[in-house]
Amino acid sequence: MAMDMKHMSIIIATLGVLSFIFGIVAENYKPAAGTAIPGKGVVICKYRSDPTVALGFLSVIFLAASAVAGFLSLFYPYKGKKSIPQAALLRSTVFFIFFNVALGTTGLAAVLLLWPIISEHLHITRNIHHNLQTECPTAKTGVLGGGAFLSLDSALFWLVCLMLANNAREDYFEETGDLKVDYEPDV
């Protein structure tokens, strides 16, 4: 079965929504703080078991998959037509702007998702503190949720890029007159 734009858009949207959902659920499960257990000259922070780190990494994985699917969908040959050169796509100013915005939101979403996940993981693994005033911190609240929303925005920008690439593709094939490509070998 050949892929068409409808299938690719469903894949991009589904992966983006999954990234969003996992990010929001990870933000909701993140504890506010750990429990400080004083010891002899140290404070040991005990954190309740929660799936924040795992759900956050799943959100990042689905964000990356959505971005890869979005990027590849722009240059995929649809409907038996060969793919167009990248220069022809980037000639469109609107496409170029949305393409860069999609890349930017994907990168920013990845940073906003990874920062609290890595921080939370470090807080959990490095839980012995020599400062007796330690209050057992966790990752900053709200950053993971913001990354989840940017992840959804990123998927939407990839969908807009896919629509603009389709317009640029149609314009390219009208200009060149190359409407169909025969993929059968000449014998």
Side-chain angles (χ1 to χ4, degrees), residues 33-85:
T35 305
I37 303 171
K40 189 173 184 176
V42 295
V43 173
I44 300 172
C45 292
K46 177 82 171 144
Y47 295 96
R48 65 178 170 86
S49 178
D50 67 270
T52 301
V53 175
L55 291 172
F57 277 125
L58 282 173
S59 179
V60 171
I61 289 168
F62 281 112
L63 168 67
S66 174
V68 167
F71 184 82
L72 293 177
S73 71
L74 301 177
F75 305 106
Y76 186 80
Y78 297 105
K79 298 179 185 175
K81 298 177 183 178
K82 65 181 180 179
S83 60
I84 66 173

Side-chain angles (χ1 to χ4, degrees), residues 125-182:
T125 57
R126 298 179 182 174
N127 61 345
I128 299 174
H129 303 280
H130 294 287
N131 180 1
L132 299 177
Q133 304 302 320
T134 300
E135 297 178 1
C136 296
T138 60
K140 188 157 179 68
T141 303
V143 177
L144 198 56
F149 276 103
L150 268 176
S151 178
L152 183 62
D153 292 343
S154 170
L156 295 174
F157 278 117
W158 284 114
L159 290 174
V160 171
C161 284
L162 183 58
M163 290 185 284
L164 292 170
N166 185 40
N167 292 344
R169 187 176 288 112
E170 289 173 0
D171 293 344
Y172 175 78
F173 286 126
E174 285 177 10
E175 288 174 9
T176 61
D178 189 12
L179 297 177
K180 287 280 184 185
V181 175
D182 187 13

